[in-house]
């Protein structure tokens, strides 16, 4: 290998090192958010534990990848000419490990989208206001042109013509 090839390898490694440092910071930030968040996600405890381990694993993989590429980007001593092939392999391994770290963080972060138990919108309470009064209850299927409501207090099913609806608001509880 020539000095020109070594220079190109070093330049490439320095460019990748910038990206790796960003990945390392991102993995660290995700780990800090994962451990310091209040309330957390709705994921089961075991899934949360696996996500935490994946974030830590991603951080470790990103550190190893950064070390491999940094040794090529800023070598402590000039490598012998026959070492350029090994340096190229190390660079490819470091790049591959960087992508693995990103994948691990993405999988760990996916627990944030775990569906909440009981988050179905069926059964959500609404308050319907018309000129003749206000009703509170849950929405139900109805014929065309009307809003179907099961009144919370009485359990009575009512159909309110859409033209009469002045306001429709989601509420946590019915009554004042």
């Amino acid at each position: 290998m020539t000095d020109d090839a070594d220079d190109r390898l070093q330049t490439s490694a320095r460019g990748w090192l910038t990206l790796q440092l960003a990945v390392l910071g991102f993995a660290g930030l995700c780990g800090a958010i994962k451990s310091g968040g209040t309330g957390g996600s709705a994921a089961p405890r075991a899934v949360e534990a696996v996500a935490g381990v994946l974030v830590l694993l991603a951080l470790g993989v990103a550190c190893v990848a950064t070390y491999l590429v940094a040794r090529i980007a800023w070598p402590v001593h000039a490598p012998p000419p026959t070492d350029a092939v090994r340096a190229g392999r190390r660079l490819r391994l470091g790049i591959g490990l960087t992508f693995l770290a990103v994948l691990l963080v993405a999988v760990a972060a996916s627990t944030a989208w775990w569906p909440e138990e009981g988050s179905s919108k069926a059964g959500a309470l609404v308050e319907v206001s018309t000129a003749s009064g206000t009703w509170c209850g849950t929405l139900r299927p109805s014929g065309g042109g009307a809003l179907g409501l099961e009144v919370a207090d009485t359990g009575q099913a009512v159909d309110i013509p859409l033209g009469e609806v002045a306001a429709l608001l989601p509420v946590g509880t019915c009554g004042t």
Side-chain angles (χ1 to χ4, degrees), residues 55-66:
V55 167
L56 290 175
L57 185 61
L59 188 60
V61 168
C63 286
V64 170
T66 301

Side-chain angles (χ1 to χ4, degrees), residues 63-80:
C63 286
V64 170
T66 301
Y67 172 75
L68 289 171
V69 174
R71 283 186 54 194
I72 298 162
W74 286 285
V76 176
H77 56 81

Side-chain angles (χ1 to χ4, degrees), residues 46-175:
V47 173
E48 285 288 321
V50 169
V53 168
L54 287 176
V55 167
L56 290 175
L57 185 61
L59 188 60
V61 168
C63 286
V64 170
T66 301
Y67 172 75
L68 289 171
V69 174
R71 283 186 54 194
I72 298 162
W74 286 285
V76 176
H77 56 81
T82 58
D83 210 22
V85 172
R86 273 187 29 204
R89 279 192 214 127
R90 239 184 272 136
L91 178 60
R92 283 190 296 281
L93 177 61
I95 292 168
L97 288 175
T98 300
F99 285 112
L100 177 62
V102 170
L103 177 68
L104 290 171
V105 169
V107 170
S110 70
T111 62
W113 291 288
W114 197 273
E116 290 186 33
E117 203 152 310
S119 68
S120 170
K121 295 300 177 194
L125 294 173
V126 295
E127 186 176 270
V128 181
S129 299
T130 66
S132 60
T134 301
W135 288 277
C136 186
T138 56
L139 294 175
R140 65 168 186 76
S142 156
L147 179 73
L149 189 73
E150 185 175 322
V151 180
D153 296 338
T154 64
Q156 177 186 4
V158 294
D159 288 330
I160 305 166
L162 291 177
E164 293 182 19
V165 175
L168 176 68
L169 300 169
V171 293
T173 59
C174 289

